[in-house]
Each structure stands twice: as structure tokens, then as C-alpha cells.
Amino acid sequence: MQYGLKDYEVERIIRHSLNKNPDLKYYINNDYIDEIINLLVIGVGQAIEENNKKVISDIEHELRMKMRGAH
């Protein structure tokens, strides 16, 4: 079961936010800036998805430990 957002969903949200001011892309017309923004968006999406997975794993581990202690 998947909890939290997938990386591509996070990316979509961030890109939607960045596109709220399209003039910025016009005025800062630089391929390197476009590439660094793209890499940041992808990296943030992946980091959030990995964090979601770690949180679920930690919670499951904690619950297993509590169940063992209850017996």
C-alpha cells in the first residue's frame, strides 16, 4: 500500500507552482538555470517519496516492537 505522494506527483505540484509566474522563465533565459531547476524539482520529489517510505517503515517497525513487548 502506498502512503504519501509519489515523486512524480510532488514534481507536478512544484512545476505547477513554478509556472505561476511564467515571466521568470522568459527573463531568466539560461539553459543552465533551467537544468538546475529541473534537477532540484526531481531531487525534491524523490526525497519526499523516500521520506514517506522511511516514515512508514519506521512506524511499522515501532508497531512490531510494541507487539513483541505486549506478549
Side-chain angles (χ1 to χ4, degrees):
M1 177 174 275
Q2 172 70 32
Y3 293 94
L5 298 174
K6 302 286 278 172
D7 59 349
Y8 65 87
E9 293 170 315
V10 175
E11 288 178 33
R12 182 182 46 78
I13 292 168
I14 295 169
R15 289 186 194 284
H16 180 270
S17 180
L18 290 172
N19 287 331
K20 287 183 179 179
N21 191 346
D23 289 343
L24 288 176
K25 201 167 190 178
Y26 173 77
Y27 289 113
I28 305 174
N29 188 9
N30 183 314
D31 291 339
Y32 293 112
I33 291 176
D34 287 344
E35 182 64 19
I36 197 165
I37 289 171
N38 188 48
L39 292 172
L40 281 169
V41 168
I42 291 169
V44 169
Q46 290 172 341
I48 290 172
E49 183 175 12
E50 288 300 314
N51 184 66
N52 289 345
K53 289 177 183 177
K54 176 80 168 94
V55 167
I56 296 303
S57 174
D58 291 349
I59 290 170
E60 289 172 341
H61 176 74
E62 186 175 334
L63 289 173
R64 282 193 301 273
M65 297 305 287
K66 285 183 180 181
M67 294 290 283
R68 287 183 187 164
H71 290 140

Coordinates of all heavy atoms in Angstrom, one line a residue:
M1 N 0.8 -1.2 0.0 CA 0.0 0.0 0.0 C 0.9 1.2 0.0 O 1.8 1.3 0.7 CB -0.9 0.0 1.2 CG -1.8 1.2 1.3 SD -3.0 1.1 2.6 CE -4.3 0.3 1.8
Q2 N 0.6 2.2 -0.8 CA 1.3 3.4 -0.9 C 0.7 4.5 -0.1 O -0.5 4.8 -0.2 CB 1.4 3.9 -2.4 CG 2.0 5.2 -2.6 CD 3.5 5.3 -2.4 OE1 4.1 4.3 -2.7 NE2 4.0 6.4 -2.0
Y3 N 1.6 5.1 0.8 CA 1.1 6.3 1.6 C 1.9 7.5 1.1 O 3.1 7.3 0.7 CB 1.4 6.0 3.0 CG 0.6 4.9 3.7 CD1 1.1 3.6 3.7 CD2 -0.7 5.2 4.2 CE1 0.3 2.6 4.3 CE2 -1.4 4.2 4.7 CZ -0.9 2.9 4.8 OH -1.7 1.9 5.4
G4 N 1.3 8.6 1.1 CA 2.0 9.8 0.7 C 2.0 9.9 -0.8 O 1.5 9.1 -1.5
L5 N 2.7 11.0 -1.2 CA 2.7 11.3 -2.7 C 3.9 10.5 -3.3 O 4.9 10.3 -2.7 CB 2.9 12.8 -2.9 CG 1.8 13.7 -2.4 CD1 2.3 15.2 -2.5 CD2 0.5 13.5 -3.1
K6 N 3.7 10.2 -4.6 CA 4.7 9.6 -5.4 C 5.6 10.8 -5.9 O 5.2 11.9 -5.9 CB 4.1 8.9 -6.6 CG 3.2 7.7 -6.3 CD 3.9 6.5 -5.7 CE 4.4 5.7 -6.9 NZ 5.3 4.6 -6.5
D7 N 6.8 10.5 -6.3 CA 7.7 11.5 -6.7 C 7.2 12.3 -7.8 O 7.3 13.6 -7.9 CB 9.1 11.0 -7.0 CG 9.2 9.9 -8.1 OD1 8.1 9.4 -8.5 OD2 10.3 9.6 -8.5
Y8 N 6.6 11.7 -8.8 CA 6.1 12.4 -10.0 C 4.9 13.4 -9.6 O 4.7 14.4 -10.2 CB 5.6 11.5 -11.1 CG 4.5 10.6 -10.8 CD1 3.2 11.0 -11.0 CD2 4.7 9.3 -10.3 CE1 2.1 10.2 -10.7 CE2 3.6 8.5 -10.0 CZ 2.3 8.9 -10.2 OH 1.2 8.1 -9.9
E9 N 4.2 13.0 -8.5 CA 3.1 13.9 -8.0 C 3.7 15.1 -7.4 O 3.2 16.3 -7.6 CB 2.2 13.2 -7.0 CG 1.4 12.0 -7.7 CD 0.7 11.1 -6.7 OE1 1.3 10.7 -5.7 OE2 -0.5 10.8 -6.9
V10 N 4.8 15.0 -6.6 CA 5.4 16.1 -6.0 C 6.0 17.0 -7.1 O 5.9 18.2 -7.0 CB 6.6 15.6 -5.0 CG1 7.3 16.8 -4.5 CG2 6.0 14.8 -3.9
E11 N 6.6 16.4 -8.1 CA 7.2 17.2 -9.2 C 6.1 18.0 -9.9 O 6.3 19.2 -10.2 CB 7.9 16.2 -10.2 CG 9.1 15.6 -9.7 CD 9.7 14.7 -10.8 OE1 9.6 14.9 -12.0 OE2 10.4 13.7 -10.4
R12 N 5.0 17.4 -10.1 CA 3.8 18.1 -10.8 C 3.4 19.3 -9.9 O 3.2 20.4 -10.5 CB 2.7 17.1 -11.0 CG 1.5 17.7 -11.7 CD 0.3 16.8 -11.8 NE 0.0 16.1 -10.6 CZ -0.7 16.6 -9.6 NH1 -1.2 17.8 -9.6 NH2 -1.0 15.9 -8.5
I13 N 3.3 19.1 -8.6 CA 2.9 20.2 -7.8 C 4.0 21.4 -7.8 O 3.6 22.5 -7.9 CB 2.7 19.7 -6.3 CG1 1.5 18.8 -6.2 CG2 2.6 20.9 -5.3 CD1 1.4 18.0 -4.9
I14 N 5.2 21.0 -7.7 CA 6.3 22.0 -7.8 C 6.3 22.7 -9.1 O 6.4 24.0 -9.2 CB 7.7 21.4 -7.5 CG1 7.7 20.9 -6.0 CG2 8.8 22.4 -7.6 CD1 8.9 20.0 -5.7
R15 N 6.2 22.0 -10.2 CA 6.2 22.6 -11.5 C 5.0 23.5 -11.7 O 5.1 24.6 -12.3 CB 6.3 21.5 -12.6 CG 7.6 20.8 -12.7 CD 7.7 19.9 -13.8 NE 8.9 19.0 -13.7 CZ 10.1 19.3 -13.9 NH1 10.4 20.6 -14.3 NH2 11.1 18.4 -13.8
H16 N 3.9 23.1 -11.2 CA 2.7 23.9 -11.3 C 2.9 25.2 -10.6 O 2.6 26.3 -11.0 CB 1.5 23.2 -10.7 CG 0.2 24.0 -10.8 ND1 -0.2 24.8 -9.7 CD2 -0.7 24.1 -11.7 CE1 -1.3 25.4 -10.1 NE2 -1.7 25.0 -11.3
S17 N 3.6 25.2 -9.4 CA 3.9 26.4 -8.6 C 4.9 27.3 -9.4 O 4.7 28.5 -9.4 CB 4.5 26.0 -7.3 OG 4.8 27.1 -6.5
L18 N 5.9 26.7 -10.0 CA 6.9 27.5 -10.7 C 6.2 28.1 -11.9 O 6.6 29.2 -12.3 CB 8.0 26.6 -11.2 CG 8.9 26.1 -10.1 CD1 9.9 25.1 -10.6 CD2 9.7 27.2 -9.4
N19 N 5.2 27.5 -12.5 CA 4.6 28.0 -13.7 C 3.6 29.1 -13.4 O 3.0 29.7 -14.3 CB 3.9 26.9 -14.5 CG 4.9 26.0 -15.2 OD1 6.0 26.5 -15.6 ND2 4.6 24.8 -15.4
K20 N 3.4 29.5 -12.2 CA 2.5 30.6 -11.8 C 3.1 31.9 -12.2 O 2.3 32.9 -12.3 CB 2.2 30.6 -10.3 CG 1.3 29.4 -9.9 CD 1.0 29.5 -8.4 CE 0.1 28.4 -8.0 NZ -0.2 28.4 -6.6
N21 N 4.4 32.0 -12.4 CA 5.0 33.2 -12.9 C 5.9 32.9 -14.1 O 7.1 32.8 -14.0 CB 5.8 33.8 -11.8 CG 6.3 35.2 -12.2 OD1 6.2 35.6 -13.3 ND2 6.7 36.0 -11.2
P22 N 5.2 32.7 -15.3 CA 6.0 32.2 -16.5 C 7.0 33.3 -17.0 O 7.9 33.0 -17.7 CB 4.9 32.0 -17.5 CG 3.7 32.7 -17.0 CD 3.8 32.8 -15.5
D23 N 6.8 34.6 -16.6 CA 7.7 35.6 -17.0 C 9.1 35.4 -16.5 O 10.1 35.8 -17.1 CB 7.2 37.0 -16.5 CG 6.0 37.5 -17.3 OD1 5.7 36.9 -18.4 OD2 5.3 38.4 -16.8
L24 N 9.2 34.8 -15.3 CA 10.5 34.5 -14.8 C 11.4 33.7 -15.7 O 12.6 33.9 -15.9 CB 10.4 33.8 -13.4 CG 9.9 34.6 -12.3 CD1 9.8 33.8 -11.0 CD2 10.9 35.8 -12.0
K25 N 10.7 32.7 -16.3 CA 11.5 31.8 -17.3 C 11.9 32.6 -18.5 O 12.9 32.4 -19.1 CB 10.6 30.6 -17.6 CG 11.3 29.5 -18.2 CD 10.5 28.2 -18.2 CE 11.4 27.0 -18.5 NZ 10.6 25.8 -18.6
Y26 N 11.0 33.5 -18.9 CA 11.3 34.3 -20.1 C 12.5 35.3 -19.8 O 13.4 35.4 -20.6 CB 10.1 35.2 -20.5 CG 10.4 36.1 -21.6 CD1 10.5 35.7 -22.9 CD2 10.6 37.5 -21.3 CE1 10.7 36.6 -23.9 CE2 10.8 38.4 -22.3 CZ 10.9 38.0 -23.6 OH 11.2 38.9 -24.6
Y27 N 12.5 35.9 -18.7 CA 13.5 36.9 -18.3 C 14.9 36.2 -17.9 O 15.9 36.8 -18.1 CB 13.1 37.8 -17.2 CG 12.0 38.8 -17.7 CD1 10.7 38.7 -17.3 CD2 12.3 39.7 -18.7 CE1 9.8 39.6 -17.7 CE2 11.4 40.6 -19.2 CZ 10.1 40.5 -18.7 OH 9.1 41.4 -19.2
I28 N 14.8 35.0 -17.3 CA 16.0 34.3 -17.0 C 16.1 33.2 -18.0 O 15.9 32.0 -17.6 CB 15.9 33.8 -15.5 CG1 15.6 34.9 -14.6 CG2 17.2 33.1 -15.1 CD1 15.4 34.5 -13.1
N29 N 16.4 33.5 -19.2 CA 16.6 32.5 -20.3 C 18.0 32.0 -20.3 O 18.8 32.5 -21.0 CB 16.2 33.2 -21.6 CG 16.1 32.1 -22.7 OD1 16.1 30.9 -22.4 ND2 16.0 32.6 -23.9
N30 N 18.2 30.9 -19.5 CA 19.5 30.3 -19.4 C 19.4 28.8 -19.3 O 18.7 28.4 -18.3 CB 20.3 30.9 -18.2 CG 21.7 30.5 -18.0 OD1 21.9 29.3 -18.2 ND2 22.6 31.4 -17.8
D31 N 20.0 28.1 -20.1 CA 19.9 26.6 -20.1 C 20.4 26.0 -18.8 O 19.8 25.0 -18.3 CB 20.6 26.0 -21.3 CG 19.9 26.3 -22.6 OD1 18.7 26.6 -22.6 OD2 20.6 26.2 -23.7
Y32 N 21.4 26.6 -18.3 CA 22.0 26.1 -17.0 C 21.0 26.2 -15.8 O 20.8 25.3 -15.0 CB 23.3 26.7 -16.7 CG 24.4 26.4 -17.6 CD1 24.9 27.3 -18.5 CD2 24.9 25.0 -17.7 CE1 25.9 27.0 -19.4 CE2 25.9 24.7 -18.6 CZ 26.4 25.7 -19.4 OH 27.4 25.3 -20.3
I33 N 20.3 27.4 -15.8 CA 19.3 27.6 -14.7 C 18.1 26.7 -14.9 O 17.6 26.1 -14.0 CB 18.9 29.1 -14.7 CG1 20.0 29.9 -14.2 CG2 17.7 29.3 -13.8 CD1 19.8 31.4 -14.3
D34 N 17.7 26.5 -16.2 CA 16.6 25.5 -16.5 C 17.0 24.1 -16.0 O 16.2 23.4 -15.4 CB 16.3 25.5 -17.9 CG 15.6 26.7 -18.4 OD1 15.0 27.4 -17.6 OD2 15.5 26.9 -19.7
E35 N 18.3 23.7 -16.2 CA 18.7 22.4 -15.9 C 18.8 22.2 -14.3 O 18.4 21.2 -13.8 CB 20.1 22.1 -16.5 CG 20.6 20.7 -16.2 CD 19.8 19.6 -16.7 OE1 18.9 19.8 -17.6 OE2 19.9 18.4 -16.2
I36 N 19.3 23.3 -13.7 CA 19.4 23.1 -12.2 C 18.0 23.1 -11.6 O 17.8 22.4 -10.6 CB 20.3 24.2 -11.6 CG1 20.7 23.8 -10.2 CG2 19.6 25.6 -11.6 CD1 21.9 24.6 -9.6
I37 N 17.1 23.9 -12.1 CA 15.7 23.9 -11.5 C 15.1 22.5 -11.8 O 14.5 22.0 -10.9 CB 14.9 25.0 -12.2 CG1 15.4 26.4 -11.6 CG2 13.4 24.8 -11.9 CD1 14.7 27.6 -12.3
N38 N 15.3 22.0 -13.0 CA 14.8 20.6 -13.3 C 15.4 19.6 -12.3 O 14.6 18.8 -11.8 CB 15.1 20.3 -14.7 CG 14.4 19.0 -15.1 OD1 13.2 18.8 -14.9 ND2 15.2 18.1 -15.8
L39 N 16.7 19.6 -12.1 CA 17.3 18.7 -11.2 C 16.8 18.8 -9.7 O 16.6 17.9 -9.0 CB 18.8 18.8 -11.2 CG 19.5 18.3 -12.6 CD1 20.9 18.7 -12.6 CD2 19.3 16.9 -12.8
L40 N 16.6 20.1 -9.3 CA 16.1 20.3 -8.0 C 14.7 19.8 -7.8 O 14.3 19.2 -6.8 CB 16.1 21.8 -7.7 CG 17.4 22.4 -7.3 CD1 17.4 24.0 -7.3 CD2 17.9 21.9 -5.9
V41 N 13.8 20.0 -8.8 CA 12.5 19.5 -8.8 C 12.4 18.0 -8.7 O 11.7 17.4 -7.8 CB 11.6 20.0 -10.0 CG1 10.3 19.3 -10.1 CG2 11.4 21.5 -9.9
I42 N 13.2 17.4 -9.5 CA 13.3 15.9 -9.5 C 13.8 15.4 -8.1 O 13.3 14.5 -7.5 CB 14.2 15.4 -10.6 CG1 13.4 15.6 -11.9 CG2 14.5 13.9 -10.5 CD1 14.3 15.4 -13.2
G43 N 14.9 16.1 -7.6 CA 15.5 15.7 -6.4 C 14.6 15.8 -5.2 O 14.5 15.0 -4.3
V44 N 13.8 16.9 -5.1 CA 12.9 17.2 -4.1 C 11.8 16.1 -4.1 O 11.4 15.6 -3.1 CB 12.3 18.6 -4.1 CG1 11.1 18.8 -3.2 CG2 13.4 19.6 -3.8
G45 N 11.3 15.8 -5.3 CA 10.2 14.8 -5.4 C 10.7 13.5 -4.9 O 10.0 12.8 -4.2
Q46 N 11.9 13.1 -5.3 CA 12.5 11.8 -4.9 C 12.7 11.8 -3.3 O 12.4 10.8 -2.7 CB 13.8 11.5 -5.6 CG 13.6 11.2 -7.1 CD 14.9 11.1 -7.8 OE1 15.9 11.5 -7.4 NE2 14.8 10.4 -9.0
A47 N 13.2 12.9 -2.8 CA 13.5 13.0 -1.4 C 12.2 12.8 -0.6 O 12.1 12.1 0.4 CB 14.2 14.3 -1.0
I48 N 11.1 13.5 -1.0 CA 9.9 13.4 -0.3 C 9.3 12.0 -0.4 O 8.8 11.4 0.6 CB 8.9 14.4 -0.9 CG1 9.3 15.8 -0.4 CG2 7.4 14.2 -0.4 CD1 8.5 17.0 -1.1
E49 N 9.4 11.4 -1.5 CA 8.9 10.0 -1.7 C 9.7 9.0 -0.8 O 9.1 8.2 -0.1 CB 8.9 9.5 -3.1 CG 8.3 8.1 -3.2 CD 8.2 7.6 -4.7 OE1 8.8 8.2 -5.6 OE2 7.5 6.6 -4.8
E50 N 11.0 9.2 -0.8 CA 11.8 8.3 0.1 C 11.5 8.6 1.6 O 11.5 7.6 2.4 CB 13.3 8.6 -0.2 CG 13.8 8.0 -1.5 CD 13.6 6.5 -1.6 OE1 13.9 5.8 -0.6 OE2 13.1 6.0 -2.6
N51 N 11.3 9.8 1.9 CA 11.0 10.1 3.3 C 9.7 9.5 3.7 O 9.5 8.9 4.8 CB 10.9 11.7 3.5 CG 10.6 12.0 5.0 OD1 11.5 11.8 5.8 ND2 9.5 12.6 5.2
N52 N 8.7 9.6 2.8 CA 7.4 8.9 3.1 C 7.6 7.4 3.3 O 7.0 6.9 4.3 CB 6.4 9.1 1.9 CG 5.9 10.5 1.8 OD1 6.0 11.3 2.7 ND2 5.3 10.8 0.6
K53 N 8.4 6.8 2.5 CA 8.6 5.3 2.7 C 9.3 5.0 4.0 O 9.0 4.1 4.7 CB 9.5 4.8 1.5 CG 8.8 4.7 0.2 CD 9.7 4.3 -0.9 CE 9.0 4.3 -2.2 NZ 9.9 3.9 -3.3
K54 N 10.3 5.9 4.4 CA 11.0 5.7 5.6 C 10.1 5.9 6.8 O 10.2 5.2 7.8 CB 12.2 6.7 5.7 CG 13.0 6.7 7.0 CD 14.0 5.5 7.0 CE 15.0 5.7 8.1 NZ 14.6 5.0 9.3
V55 N 9.2 6.9 6.8 CA 8.3 7.1 7.9 C 7.4 5.9 8.1 O 7.2 5.4 9.2 CB 7.4 8.4 7.6 CG1 6.2 8.5 8.6 CG2 8.3 9.6 7.7
I56 N 6.9 5.4 7.0 CA 6.0 4.2 7.1 C 6.8 3.0 7.6 O 6.3 2.3 8.5 CB 5.4 3.8 5.7 CG1 4.5 4.9 5.2 CG2 4.7 2.5 5.8 CD1 3.3 5.3 6.2
S57 N 8.0 2.8 7.2 CA 8.9 1.7 7.6 C 9.1 1.9 9.1 O 9.1 0.9 9.9 CB 10.2 1.7 6.8 OG 11.1 0.8 7.4
D58 N 9.5 3.1 9.6 CA 9.7 3.3 11.0 C 8.5 3.0 11.8 O 8.6 2.5 12.9 CB 10.2 4.7 11.2 CG 11.6 5.0 10.6 OD1 12.3 4.0 10.2 OD2 12.0 6.2 10.6
I59 N 7.3 3.5 11.4 CA 6.1 3.2 12.1 C 5.8 1.7 12.2 O 5.5 1.2 13.3 CB 4.9 4.0 11.5 CG1 5.1 5.5 11.7 CG2 3.6 3.5 12.1 CD1 4.1 6.4 10.9
E60 N 6.0 1.0 11.1 CA 5.7 -0.4 11.1 C 6.7 -1.1 12.1 O 6.3 -2.0 12.8 CB 5.9 -1.0 9.7 CG 4.7 -0.6 8.8 CD 5.0 -1.0 7.3 OE1 6.1 -1.3 6.9 OE2 4.0 -1.0 6.6
H61 N 8.0 -0.7 12.0 CA 9.0 -1.3 12.9 C 8.6 -1.0 14.4 O 8.7 -1.9 15.2 CB 10.3 -0.7 12.6 CG 11.4 -1.2 13.5 ND1 11.9 -2.5 13.5 CD2 12.1 -0.6 14.5 CE1 12.8 -2.6 14.4 NE2 12.9 -1.5 15.1
E62 N 8.2 0.2 14.7 CA 7.8 0.5 16.1 C 6.6 -0.3 16.5 O 6.6 -0.8 17.6 CB 7.5 2.0 16.1 CG 7.3 2.5 17.6 CD 7.1 4.0 17.6 OE1 7.6 4.7 16.8 OE2 6.4 4.4 18.6
L63 N 5.6 -0.5 15.6 CA 4.5 -1.3 16.0 C 4.8 -2.7 16.2 O 4.3 -3.3 17.2 CB 3.4 -1.2 14.9 CG 2.7 0.2 14.8 CD1 1.8 0.2 13.5 CD2 1.9 0.5 16.0
R64 N 5.7 -3.3 15.4 CA 6.2 -4.6 15.6 C 6.9 -4.8 16.9 O 6.6 -5.8 17.7 CB 7.1 -5.1 14.5 CG 6.3 -5.5 13.2 CD 7.2 -6.2 12.2 NE 8.4 -5.4 11.8 CZ 8.4 -4.5 10.8 NH1 7.3 -4.3 10.1 NH2 9.5 -3.8 10.5
M65 N 7.7 -3.8 17.3 CA 8.4 -3.9 18.6 C 7.4 -3.8 19.8 O 7.6 -4.5 20.7 CB 9.4 -2.8 18.7 CG 10.5 -2.9 17.6 SD 11.4 -4.4 17.6 CE 12.4 -4.3 19.1
K66 N 6.4 -3.0 19.6 CA 5.4 -2.9 20.7 C 4.6 -4.2 20.8 O 4.3 -4.6 21.9 CB 4.5 -1.7 20.5 CG 5.2 -0.3 20.7 CD 4.2 0.8 20.6 CE 4.9 2.1 20.9 NZ 4.1 3.3 20.7
M67 N 4.3 -4.8 19.7 CA 3.5 -6.0 19.7 C 4.4 -7.1 20.4 O 3.8 -7.9 21.1 CB 3.2 -6.5 18.3 CG 2.2 -5.5 17.6 SD 0.6 -5.6 18.3 CE 0.0 -7.1 17.5
R68 N 5.6 -7.2 20.1 CA 6.5 -8.2 20.8 C 6.6 -8.0 22.3 O 6.6 -8.9 23.0 CB 7.9 -8.1 20.2 CG 8.0 -8.7 18.8 CD 9.4 -8.6 18.3 NE 9.5 -9.0 16.9 CZ 10.5 -8.8 16.1 NH1 11.6 -8.2 16.6 NH2 10.5 -9.2 14.9
G69 N 6.6 -6.7 22.7 CA 6.7 -6.4 24.1 C 5.4 -6.7 24.8 O 5.3 -6.9 26.0
A70 N 4.3 -6.7 24.1 CA 2.9 -6.9 24.7 C 2.7 -8.4 25.0 O 1.8 -8.7 25.8 CB 1.8 -6.4 23.8
H71 N 3.5 -9.3 24.4 CA 3.3 -10.7 24.6 C 4.0 -11.2 25.8 O 4.9 -10.9 26.3 CB 3.7 -11.5 23.4 CG 2.7 -11.3 22.3 ND1 3.1 -11.2 21.0 CD2 1.3 -11.2 22.2 CE1 2.0 -11.0 20.2 NE2 0.9 -11.0 21.0

